[in-house]
Amino acid sequence: MTGAGERSLDDATITSIADELARAEAERTTVPLLTARYPGMTVEDSYAVQNTWRRRGIEAGRRPVGRKIGLTSKVMQAATGITEPDYGAIFADMVFDNGAVIEHSRFSNVRIEVELAFVLREGLKGPDVTVFDVLRATEYVVPALEILSSRIEMSGRTIVDTISDNAAMGGMVHGGNPVRVDQTDLRWVPALLYRNATIEESGVAAAVLGHPATGVAWLANKLAQHDDALEPGEIVLAGSFTRPVWIEPGDTVLADYRELGTVSCRFV
């Protein structure tokens, strides 16, 4: 498997993979590892797959509302064996309100992560976006849960498989108390993650690259490499500061963010 660099797959193959992943999402199934079938596949190939998948989703009527950043913390990198961040797209049909009852079978390999979501007042366009630019552009930050869903088999995945699979984005639940960036020290936002009234994970937001806004700056600069940018009003999931927790049908999940309130959902 090749890392970053130039593309190795032609457009027809990229489109074929994107369509295969779209079918897997629709049919709630998983597909074999891409890197096993395309050994020379690069990171640039995988972002091309994701961008094609996103574009075809928009053409089919799905409304883009933001982006997610993945693998930004040491605990997440250790949990996956992947050592660089990635990003994925968020569509409106992936966003759930606080307290939502969610169909577990809609997703594959369901896990939950604890994150902060940045809601942008202004757009951000790389390549030289800083943390300070992110803070100036942010309207508010709100607690969130990310629902991970892997449409590619889990064992042996690399960053290339994960990026192609929209960075394993399944959905998100937002809740709690929206705060402006000058109302709290975002590094020290804590979270206790409960599954069925038992604390499974805990952490603070500084685990995301030292400051959760750092991930948003990374994203804006990474998007610029793909001739893209963050738009006003977009939601950005800034990355998990706990390890993912596996979820089964019947589980209730609640994350307590102290002053920022709670966000919860139940899977059926």
Side-chain angles (χ1 to χ4, degrees):
M1 190 274 293
T2 308
E6 300 300 318
R7 277 183 41 187
S8 69
L9 302 180
D10 60 32
D11 289 344
T13 304
I14 294 290
T15 300
S16 174
I17 295 170
D19 288 345
E20 181 183 11
L21 289 167
R23 283 193 303 273
E25 183 186 26
E27 296 170 3
R28 306 172 180 186
T29 59
T30 58
V31 303
L33 285 174
L34 299 179
T35 44
R37 292 182 283 156
Y38 305 98
M41 194 173 179
T42 66
V43 166
E44 288 307 308
D45 288 323
S46 61
Y47 277 119
V49 168
Q50 185 190 124
N51 291 338
T52 300
W53 173 87
R54 180 175 181 265
R55 185 181 71 249
R56 291 168 87 83
I58 294 169
E59 291 167 355
R62 301 181 82 177
R63 180 169 63 88
V65 294
R67 306 278 187 165
K68 67 149 285 186
I69 311 164
L71 308 177
T72 50
S73 67
K74 290 295 184 185
V75 292
M76 279 305 301
Q77 291 177 359
T80 58
I82 295 168
T83 57
E84 62 179 306
D86 62 4
Y87 71 80
I90 305 173
F91 287 119
D93 58 24
M94 296 175 168
V95 181
F96 298 90
D97 292 333
N98 200 1
V101 177
I102 300 170
E103 185 183 358
H104 186 275
S105 63
R106 171 176 171 172
F107 308 106
S108 303
N109 298 298
V110 185
R111 289 143 292 147
I112 284 278
E113 294 177 346
V114 166
E115 314 209 4
L116 292 177
F118 286 66
V119 180
L120 300 180
R121 180 180 60 252
E122 304 165 11
L124 289 166
K125 184 172 178 59
D128 299 311
V129 173
T130 67
V131 168
F132 306 110
D133 297 325
V134 172
L135 296 176
R136 281 192 293 267
T138 300
E139 185 168 7
Y140 52 84
V141 176
V142 65
L145 298 170
E146 181 178 358
I147 305 166
L148 294 179
S149 178
S150 295
R151 278 74 49 166
I152 296 174
E153 66 178 281
M154 299 280 289
S155 180
R157 282 184 315 159
T158 71
I159 188 76
V160 168
D161 296 289
T162 304
I163 293 168
S164 301
D165 191 24
N166 195 35
M169 176 67 186
M172 64 169 286
V173 185
H174 60 83
N177 304 320
V179 296
R180 298 194 182 277
V181 297
D182 59 354
Q183 291 179 320
T184 189
D185 185 344
L186 292 177
R187 298 173 307 152
W188 285 102
V189 172
L192 303 174
L193 179 60
Y194 293 82
R195 183 175 65 91
N196 303 330
T198 298
I199 296 177
E200 297 279 358
E201 286 289 337
S202 62
V204 295
V208 179
L209 300 173
H211 192 294
T214 306
V216 183
W218 173 88
L219 174 62
N221 294 327
K222 188 71 173 180
L223 284 171
Q225 297 176 19
H226 301 129
D227 196 29
D228 205 348
L230 294 169
E231 302 294 337
E234 284 201 292
I235 303 165
V236 180
L237 278 176
S240 180
F241 45 99
T242 65
R243 288 173 296 189
V245 172
W246 283 90
I247 300 299
E248 302 296 336
D251 284 348
T252 296
V253 178
L254 181 141
D256 184 346
Y257 288 79
R258 201 175 176 185
E259 288 91 347
L260 270 62
T262 63
V263 54
S264 66
C265 62
R266 182 165 60 90
F267 288 86
V268 296

